[in-house]
Amino acid sequence: MKKRFVSLFFIVSAMAFLSAESEGEKQFKANNPSGAAVLLESEIQRGEVSADTYNFLGLAYFQLGEYAKSIDAFERGMKSSYADRKKLCFNEGNVAYASGDYEKAENCFSLAVAVSPQMYSAVLNRANARLMQKKYGGALDDYKLYVASVPDDPQRDSIIRLISYLEEQLVFEEQEKVRLAEEQKRIAEENERMQAEIARREAEQAAAEAARKAEEEERRRKLLEEVANSLQQTDTTNMTAGAEEVLDYEYESELD
């Protein structure tokens, strides 16, 4: 009975510790993020970690404008068995979005939605992150899901207008894809015709050059032939009789 009482005492004490606010959490709620961050880091070092310790730490760093430390705090919390990981993931996505890392923000919100599909705030924030990355199709799907799931949102009219713009944008992009495809086809056909024309002209030039060279070769051949013929000694007065002796057929006629 005594052992059971002691065990129950420790369980109650542990639950009281987990439910009690730490000094770091109190400082955060008192709007003192700088002091809260110091105290929360010390509490983590001592192993005094509650479900909200890393969340408050990440938010404290965020309020101080230290986005890298904020994200690091949330990611450290994701490794803690005490932490509310869905909340950490959601807040990390918000910090990533604020720092301009829209891809990381989208991934964080997607993880939160995967764990809790009814976390529509994550759906809306993911839509915004996708919009900033010009992922219009995914953003449109998320905005539609959000207004259907949260019909009484005060931003409903603005979101519906945004949905209309995105639908127009997607129609325009589809038309632009068709136009660009047709333009690329036209350019490819023109380039093919141009290449054929260039090849035809090159062939004509090559044929003309070959004809010119053949004509020049023929002219030279005839010239050489003429020169050779002019040098050939064929006069009967200069025909050799052998032994380098020239026969002279010229003589005075003795006939009267």
Short mmCIF file of all heavy atoms in Angstrom, two decimals, residues 140-188:
data_model
loop_
_atom_site.label_atom_id
_atom_site.label_comp_id
_atom_site.label_asym_id
_atom_site.label_seq_id
_atom_site.Cartn_x
_atom_site.Cartn_y
_atom_site.Cartn_z
N LEU A 140 -4.54 27.12 -55.72
CA LEU A 140 -5.99 27.16 -56.01
C LEU A 140 -6.72 26.03 -55.29
O LEU A 140 -7.78 26.25 -54.68
CB LEU A 140 -6.22 27.06 -57.52
CG LEU A 140 -7.67 27.07 -57.99
CD1 LEU A 140 -8.37 28.36 -57.59
CD2 LEU A 140 -7.74 26.88 -59.50
N ASP A 141 -6.16 24.84 -55.33
CA ASP A 141 -6.79 23.70 -54.64
C ASP A 141 -6.91 23.95 -53.14
O ASP A 141 -7.94 23.64 -52.53
CB ASP A 141 -5.97 22.42 -54.88
CG ASP A 141 -6.04 21.96 -56.33
OD1 ASP A 141 -6.99 22.36 -57.03
OD2 ASP A 141 -5.15 21.19 -56.75
N ASP A 142 -5.85 24.52 -52.55
CA ASP A 142 -5.88 24.78 -51.11
C ASP A 142 -6.88 25.87 -50.75
O ASP A 142 -7.60 25.77 -49.74
CB ASP A 142 -4.48 25.19 -50.62
CG ASP A 142 -3.58 23.99 -50.38
OD1 ASP A 142 -4.10 22.86 -50.35
OD2 ASP A 142 -2.36 24.18 -50.22
N TYR A 143 -6.93 26.93 -51.55
CA TYR A 143 -7.89 28.02 -51.26
C TYR A 143 -9.33 27.50 -51.36
O TYR A 143 -10.18 27.84 -50.53
CB TYR A 143 -7.68 29.18 -52.22
CG TYR A 143 -6.47 30.02 -51.92
CD1 TYR A 143 -5.53 30.31 -52.92
CD2 TYR A 143 -6.26 30.56 -50.65
CE1 TYR A 143 -4.41 31.10 -52.65
CE2 TYR A 143 -5.14 31.33 -50.37
CZ TYR A 143 -4.22 31.60 -51.37
OH TYR A 143 -3.11 32.38 -51.10
N LYS A 144 -9.59 26.69 -52.36
CA LYS A 144 -10.93 26.13 -52.51
C LYS A 144 -11.29 25.23 -51.33
O LYS A 144 -12.42 25.27 -50.81
CB LYS A 144 -11.03 25.34 -53.82
CG LYS A 144 -11.11 26.21 -55.06
CD LYS A 144 -11.27 25.35 -56.31
CE LYS A 144 -11.48 26.21 -57.56
NZ LYS A 144 -11.64 25.39 -58.78
N LEU A 145 -10.34 24.40 -50.91
CA LEU A 145 -10.57 23.53 -49.77
C LEU A 145 -10.83 24.36 -48.51
O LEU A 145 -11.72 24.03 -47.72
CB LEU A 145 -9.35 22.62 -49.55
CG LEU A 145 -9.36 21.74 -48.30
CD1 LEU A 145 -10.56 20.81 -48.31
CD2 LEU A 145 -8.05 20.96 -48.18
N TYR A 146 -10.10 25.44 -48.36
CA TYR A 146 -10.24 26.25 -47.15
C TYR A 146 -11.62 26.93 -47.09
O TYR A 146 -12.28 26.87 -46.06
CB TYR A 146 -9.14 27.31 -47.09
CG TYR A 146 -9.21 28.14 -45.83
CD1 TYR A 146 -8.76 27.63 -44.62
CD2 TYR A 146 -9.77 29.42 -45.84
CE1 TYR A 146 -8.85 28.37 -43.44
CE2 TYR A 146 -9.86 30.17 -44.68
CZ TYR A 146 -9.40 29.64 -43.49
OH TYR A 146 -9.52 30.37 -42.33
N VAL A 147 -12.04 27.58 -48.17
CA VAL A 147 -13.34 28.29 -48.12
C VAL A 147 -14.50 27.30 -47.99
O VAL A 147 -15.53 27.63 -47.41
CB VAL A 147 -13.54 29.19 -49.36
CG1 VAL A 147 -12.53 30.32 -49.37
CG2 VAL A 147 -13.48 28.39 -50.65
N ALA A 148 -14.31 26.10 -48.52
CA ALA A 148 -15.35 25.09 -48.37
C ALA A 148 -15.40 24.56 -46.94
O ALA A 148 -16.48 24.22 -46.44
CB ALA A 148 -15.10 23.95 -49.34
N SER A 149 -14.25 24.51 -46.29
CA SER A 149 -14.17 23.96 -44.94
C SER A 149 -14.42 25.01 -43.86
O SER A 149 -14.86 24.67 -42.75
CB SER A 149 -12.80 23.32 -44.72
OG SER A 149 -12.53 22.34 -45.70
N VAL A 150 -14.09 26.27 -44.16
CA VAL A 150 -14.27 27.35 -43.18
C VAL A 150 -15.11 28.44 -43.84
O VAL A 150 -14.61 29.52 -44.19
CB VAL A 150 -12.90 27.91 -42.73
CG1 VAL A 150 -13.07 28.84 -41.53
CG2 VAL A 150 -11.94 26.78 -42.37
N PRO A 151 -16.39 28.19 -44.06
CA PRO A 151 -17.24 29.14 -44.80
C PRO A 151 -17.48 30.47 -44.10
O PRO A 151 -17.83 31.46 -44.75
CB PRO A 151 -18.56 28.37 -44.96
CG PRO A 151 -18.56 27.38 -43.84
CD PRO A 151 -17.14 27.00 -43.62
N ASP A 152 -17.29 30.52 -42.79
CA ASP A 152 -17.55 31.76 -42.06
C ASP A 152 -16.28 32.59 -41.82
O ASP A 152 -16.29 33.52 -41.02
CB ASP A 152 -18.21 31.43 -40.71
CG ASP A 152 -17.36 30.49 -39.87
OD1 ASP A 152 -16.42 29.89 -40.43
OD2 ASP A 152 -17.64 30.36 -38.66
N ASP A 153 -15.19 32.26 -42.53
CA ASP A 153 -13.96 33.04 -42.36
C ASP A 153 -14.20 34.48 -42.81
O ASP A 153 -14.75 34.71 -43.90
CB ASP A 153 -12.83 32.41 -43.19
CG ASP A 153 -11.48 33.05 -42.90
OD1 ASP A 153 -11.28 34.21 -43.29
OD2 ASP A 153 -10.63 32.39 -42.29
N PRO A 154 -13.78 35.47 -42.04
CA PRO A 154 -13.99 36.87 -42.42
C PRO A 154 -13.26 37.27 -43.71
O PRO A 154 -13.60 38.27 -44.33
CB PRO A 154 -13.45 37.66 -41.21
CG PRO A 154 -12.71 36.69 -40.37
CD PRO A 154 -13.21 35.33 -40.69
N GLN A 155 -12.25 36.47 -44.08
CA GLN A 155 -11.51 36.75 -45.32
C GLN A 155 -12.12 36.05 -46.53
O GLN A 155 -11.53 36.07 -47.62
CB GLN A 155 -10.06 36.30 -45.18
CG GLN A 155 -9.30 36.91 -44.02
CD GLN A 155 -7.89 36.38 -43.94
OE1 GLN A 155 -6.96 36.94 -44.51
NE2 GLN A 155 -7.75 35.26 -43.24
N ARG A 156 -13.26 35.43 -46.36
CA ARG A 156 -13.86 34.60 -47.39
C ARG A 156 -13.97 35.33 -48.73
O ARG A 156 -13.60 34.80 -49.78
CB ARG A 156 -15.24 34.11 -46.95
CG ARG A 156 -15.96 33.26 -47.99
CD ARG A 156 -17.33 32.81 -47.52
NE ARG A 156 -18.04 32.11 -48.57
CZ ARG A 156 -17.89 30.82 -48.85
NH1 ARG A 156 -17.05 30.10 -48.14
NH2 ARG A 156 -18.56 30.25 -49.82
N ASP A 157 -14.53 36.54 -48.72
CA ASP A 157 -14.72 37.28 -49.98
C ASP A 157 -13.40 37.53 -50.69
O ASP A 157 -13.31 37.40 -51.92
CB ASP A 157 -15.44 38.60 -49.71
CG ASP A 157 -16.89 38.39 -49.29
OD1 ASP A 157 -17.42 37.28 -49.53
OD2 ASP A 157 -17.48 39.33 -48.70
N SER A 158 -12.38 37.89 -49.93
CA SER A 158 -11.06 38.13 -50.52
C SER A 158 -10.48 36.85 -51.11
O SER A 158 -9.88 36.86 -52.20
CB SER A 158 -10.10 38.69 -49.47
OG SER A 158 -10.55 39.94 -48.99
N ILE A 159 -10.67 35.75 -50.40
CA ILE A 159 -10.15 34.47 -50.88
C ILE A 159 -10.88 34.04 -52.15
O ILE A 159 -10.27 33.53 -53.09
CB ILE A 159 -10.26 33.38 -49.79
CG1 ILE A 159 -9.37 33.75 -48.60
CG2 ILE A 159 -9.85 32.03 -50.34
CD1 ILE A 159 -9.54 32.83 -47.40
N ILE A 160 -12.20 34.28 -52.18
CA ILE A 160 -12.98 33.92 -53.37
C ILE A 160 -12.53 34.74 -54.58
O ILE A 160 -12.40 34.22 -55.70
CB ILE A 160 -14.48 34.10 -53.12
CG1 ILE A 160 -14.98 33.02 -52.15
CG2 ILE A 160 -15.28 34.04 -54.42
CD1 ILE A 160 -16.42 33.15 -51.75
N ARG A 161 -12.24 36.03 -54.36
CA ARG A 161 -11.72 36.85 -55.46
C ARG A 161 -10.36 36.32 -55.93
O ARG A 161 -10.08 36.27 -57.13
CB ARG A 161 -11.59 38.31 -55.02
CG ARG A 161 -12.91 39.06 -54.94
CD ARG A 161 -12.70 40.55 -54.91
NE ARG A 161 -11.93 40.97 -53.75
CZ ARG A 161 -12.46 41.28 -52.57
NH1 ARG A 161 -13.78 41.18 -52.38
NH2 ARG A 161 -11.69 41.66 -51.56
N LEU A 162 -9.54 35.93 -54.97
CA LEU A 162 -8.23 35.37 -55.31
C LEU A 162 -8.38 34.08 -56.09
O LEU A 162 -7.64 33.82 -57.05
CB LEU A 162 -7.42 35.12 -54.03
CG LEU A 162 -6.00 34.58 -54.19
CD1 LEU A 162 -5.19 35.47 -55.13
CD2 LEU A 162 -5.33 34.46 -52.84
N ILE A 163 -9.35 33.26 -55.70
CA ILE A 163 -9.62 32.02 -56.45
C ILE A 163 -9.98 32.33 -57.89
O ILE A 163 -9.51 31.67 -58.83
CB ILE A 163 -10.76 31.23 -55.76
CG1 ILE A 163 -10.25 30.61 -54.46
CG2 ILE A 163 -11.30 30.14 -56.69
CD1 ILE A 163 -11.33 29.95 -53.62
N SER A 164 -10.81 33.36 -58.08
CA SER A 164 -11.20 33.76 -59.43
C SER A 164 -9.99 34.20 -60.25
O SER A 164 -9.84 33.83 -61.42
CB SER A 164 -12.23 34.90 -59.36
OG SER A 164 -12.59 35.33 -60.65
N TYR A 165 -9.11 34.99 -59.63
CA TYR A 165 -7.89 35.43 -60.32
C TYR A 165 -7.01 34.24 -60.71
O TYR A 165 -6.44 34.20 -61.81
CB TYR A 165 -7.09 36.39 -59.44
CG TYR A 165 -7.79 37.68 -59.11
CD1 TYR A 165 -7.56 38.34 -57.91
CD2 TYR A 165 -8.70 38.26 -60.02
CE1 TYR A 165 -8.20 39.53 -57.60
CE2 TYR A 165 -9.34 39.45 -59.71
CZ TYR A 165 -9.11 40.07 -58.51
OH TYR A 165 -9.74 41.25 -58.20
N LEU A 166 -6.89 33.30 -59.78
CA LEU A 166 -6.04 32.13 -60.05
C LEU A 166 -6.62 31.28 -61.18
O LEU A 166 -5.86 30.75 -62.01
CB LEU A 166 -5.90 31.28 -58.78
CG LEU A 166 -4.97 31.84 -57.70
CD1 LEU A 166 -5.04 30.99 -56.45
CD2 LEU A 166 -3.54 31.92 -58.21
N GLU A 167 -7.92 31.14 -61.21
CA GLU A 167 -8.55 30.38 -62.30
C GLU A 167 -8.27 31.07 -63.64
O GLU A 167 -7.97 30.40 -64.64
CB GLU A 167 -10.05 30.26 -62.05
CG GLU A 167 -10.39 29.30 -60.93
CD GLU A 167 -11.87 29.28 -60.59
OE1 GLU A 167 -12.57 30.26 -60.92
OE2 GLU A 167 -12.32 28.28 -59.99
N GLU A 168 -8.36 32.40 -63.67
CA GLU A 168 -8.05 33.14 -64.89
C GLU A 168 -6.58 32.97 -65.25
O GLU A 168 -6.24 32.82 -66.44
CB GLU A 168 -8.38 34.62 -64.70
CG GLU A 168 -9.86 34.93 -64.58
CD GLU A 168 -10.12 36.40 -64.30
OE1 GLU A 168 -9.13 37.17 -64.24
OE2 GLU A 168 -11.29 36.78 -64.13
N GLN A 169 -5.74 32.99 -64.24
CA GLN A 169 -4.31 32.83 -64.48
C GLN A 169 -3.98 31.47 -65.07
O GLN A 169 -3.18 31.35 -66.00
CB GLN A 169 -3.53 33.03 -63.17
CG GLN A 169 -2.02 32.82 -63.28
CD GLN A 169 -1.35 33.87 -64.15
OE1 GLN A 169 -1.86 34.98 -64.31
NE2 GLN A 169 -0.20 33.52 -64.71
N LEU A 170 -4.63 30.43 -64.56
CA LEU A 170 -4.39 29.08 -65.07
C LEU A 170 -4.89 28.93 -66.50
O LEU A 170 -4.24 28.26 -67.31
CB LEU A 170 -5.06 28.05 -64.16
CG LEU A 170 -4.42 27.87 -62.78
CD1 LEU A 170 -5.24 26.94 -61.91
CD2 LEU A 170 -3.00 27.35 -62.92
N VAL A 171 -6.03 29.58 -66.82
CA VAL A 171 -6.52 29.56 -68.21
C VAL A 171 -5.52 30.26 -69.11
O VAL A 171 -5.19 29.77 -70.21
CB VAL A 171 -7.90 30.24 -68.29
CG1 VAL A 171 -8.30 30.45 -69.76
CG2 VAL A 171 -8.96 29.39 -67.61
N PHE A 172 -5.03 31.41 -68.65
CA PHE A 172 -4.04 32.16 -69.43
C PHE A 172 -2.77 31.33 -69.64
O PHE A 172 -2.22 31.29 -70.75
CB PHE A 172 -3.69 33.46 -68.71
CG PHE A 172 -2.51 34.18 -69.31
CD1 PHE A 172 -2.64 34.91 -70.48
CD2 PHE A 172 -1.26 34.11 -68.69
CE1 PHE A 172 -1.54 35.55 -71.04
CE2 PHE A 172 -0.17 34.75 -69.24
CZ PHE A 172 -0.31 35.48 -70.41
N GLU A 173 -2.31 30.66 -68.58
CA GLU A 173 -1.09 29.86 -68.69
C GLU A 173 -1.28 28.71 -69.67
O GLU A 173 -0.36 28.38 -70.42
CB GLU A 173 -0.69 29.32 -67.31
CG GLU A 173 -0.10 30.37 -66.39
CD GLU A 173 0.41 29.78 -65.10
OE1 GLU A 173 0.19 28.57 -64.86
OE2 GLU A 173 1.05 30.52 -64.33
N GLU A 174 -2.47 28.12 -69.67
CA GLU A 174 -2.74 27.02 -70.61
C GLU A 174 -2.74 27.55 -72.03
O GLU A 174 -2.18 26.91 -72.94
CB GLU A 174 -4.08 26.38 -70.27
CG GLU A 174 -4.34 25.08 -71.03
CD GLU A 174 -3.32 24.01 -70.73
OE1 GLU A 174 -2.81 23.95 -69.60
OE2 GLU A 174 -3.03 23.21 -71.65
N GLN A 175 -3.37 28.70 -72.24
CA GLN A 175 -3.37 29.30 -73.57
C GLN A 175 -1.95 29.68 -73.99
O GLN A 175 -1.58 29.52 -75.17
CB GLN A 175 -4.27 30.55 -73.57
CG GLN A 175 -5.75 30.24 -73.40
CD GLN A 175 -6.59 31.50 -73.24
OE1 GLN A 175 -6.06 32.57 -72.93
NE2 GLN A 175 -7.90 31.37 -73.45
N GLU A 176 -1.19 30.16 -73.02
CA GLU A 176 0.19 30.55 -73.32
C GLU A 176 1.02 29.33 -73.69
O GLU A 176 1.89 29.39 -74.57
CB GLU A 176 0.79 31.25 -72.11
CG GLU A 176 2.13 31.91 -72.35
CD GLU A 176 2.06 33.09 -73.31
OE1 GLU A 176 0.95 33.48 -73.72
OE2 GLU A 176 3.13 33.62 -73.65
N LYS A 177 0.77 28.19 -73.03
CA LYS A 177 1.48 26.96 -73.37
C LYS A 177 1.20 26.56 -74.82
O LYS A 177 2.10 26.18 -75.56
CB LYS A 177 1.06 25.83 -72.43
CG LYS A 177 1.66 25.91 -71.05
CD LYS A 177 1.19 24.73 -70.20
CE LYS A 177 1.75 24.80 -68.79
NZ LYS A 177 1.27 23.67 -67.95
N VAL A 178 -0.10 26.66 -75.21
CA VAL A 178 -0.49 26.32 -76.58
C VAL A 178 0.18 27.26 -77.56
O VAL A 178 0.72 26.84 -78.59
CB VAL A 178 -2.02 26.37 -76.74
CG1 VAL A 178 -2.41 26.19 -78.20
CG2 VAL A 178 -2.68 25.30 -75.86
N ARG A 179 0.16 28.57 -77.22
CA ARG A 179 0.76 29.57 -78.11
C ARG A 179 2.27 29.34 -78.27
O ARG A 179 2.80 29.37 -79.38
CB ARG A 179 0.52 30.97 -77.57
CG ARG A 179 0.97 32.09 -78.52
CD ARG A 179 0.96 33.43 -77.84
NE ARG A 179 1.97 33.52 -76.80
CZ ARG A 179 3.26 33.73 -77.04
NH1 ARG A 179 3.71 33.85 -78.30
NH2 ARG A 179 4.12 33.82 -76.05
N LEU A 180 2.93 29.08 -77.15
CA LEU A 180 4.37 28.85 -77.20
C LEU A 180 4.70 27.57 -77.96
O LEU A 180 5.70 27.53 -78.70
CB LEU A 180 4.93 28.76 -75.77
CG LEU A 180 4.97 30.07 -74.98
CD1 LEU A 180 5.42 29.82 -73.55
CD2 LEU A 180 5.89 31.08 -75.66
N ALA A 181 3.87 26.54 -77.81
CA ALA A 181 4.09 25.29 -78.55
C ALA A 181 3.96 25.54 -80.04
O ALA A 181 4.77 25.04 -80.85
CB ALA A 181 3.11 24.23 -78.09
N GLU A 182 2.93 26.30 -80.43
CA GLU A 182 2.73 26.63 -81.84
C GLU A 182 3.87 27.51 -82.36
O GLU A 182 4.34 27.31 -83.49
CB GLU A 182 1.40 27.34 -82.03
CG GLU A 182 0.18 26.44 -81.78
CD GLU A 182 -1.13 27.19 -81.88
OE1 GLU A 182 -1.08 28.45 -81.91
OE2 GLU A 182 -2.20 26.55 -81.91
N GLU A 183 4.32 28.43 -81.53
CA GLU A 183 5.43 29.30 -81.92
C GLU A 183 6.71 28.51 -82.12
O GLU A 183 7.45 28.71 -83.08
CB GLU A 183 5.62 30.38 -80.86
CG GLU A 183 6.75 31.36 -81.14
CD GLU A 183 6.44 32.32 -82.27
OE1 GLU A 183 5.30 32.30 -82.79
OE2 GLU A 183 7.34 33.09 -82.63
N GLN A 184 6.96 27.58 -81.20
CA GLN A 184 8.15 26.73 -81.31
C GLN A 184 8.08 25.85 -82.56
O GLN A 184 9.09 25.64 -83.24
CB GLN A 184 8.30 25.88 -80.06
CG GLN A 184 8.70 26.68 -78.82
CD GLN A 184 8.71 25.85 -77.56
OE1 GLN A 184 8.29 24.69 -77.57
NE2 GLN A 184 9.17 26.42 -76.46
N LYS A 185 6.88 25.35 -82.85
CA LYS A 185 6.70 24.54 -84.06
C LYS A 185 6.96 25.37 -85.31
O LYS A 185 7.63 24.92 -86.24
CB LYS A 185 5.28 23.97 -84.08
CG LYS A 185 5.01 23.07 -85.29
CD LYS A 185 3.58 22.53 -85.26
CE LYS A 185 3.29 21.67 -86.48
NZ LYS A 185 1.90 21.17 -86.49
N ARG A 186 6.42 26.60 -85.32
CA ARG A 186 6.62 27.49 -86.47
C ARG A 186 8.10 27.80 -86.67
O ARG A 186 8.62 27.73 -87.79
CB ARG A 186 5.84 28.79 -86.28
CG ARG A 186 5.99 29.78 -87.43
CD ARG A 186 5.36 31.11 -87.09
NE ARG A 186 6.04 31.76 -85.99
CZ ARG A 186 7.19 32.41 -86.11
NH1 ARG A 186 7.81 32.46 -87.28
NH2 ARG A 186 7.74 32.99 -85.06
N ILE A 187 8.78 28.11 -85.56
CA ILE A 187 10.20 28.44 -85.64
C ILE A 187 11.00 27.23 -86.12
O ILE A 187 11.92 27.36 -86.94
CB ILE A 187 10.71 28.91 -84.27
CG1 ILE A 187 10.10 30.28 -83.92
CG2 ILE A 187 12.23 29.00 -84.25
CD1 ILE A 187 10.42 30.76 -82.53
N ALA A 188 10.64 26.04 -85.62
CA ALA A 188 11.34 24.82 -86.03
C ALA A 188 11.15 24.57 -87.52
O ALA A 188 12.11 24.20 -88.23
CB ALA A 188 10.82 23.63 -85.23
#
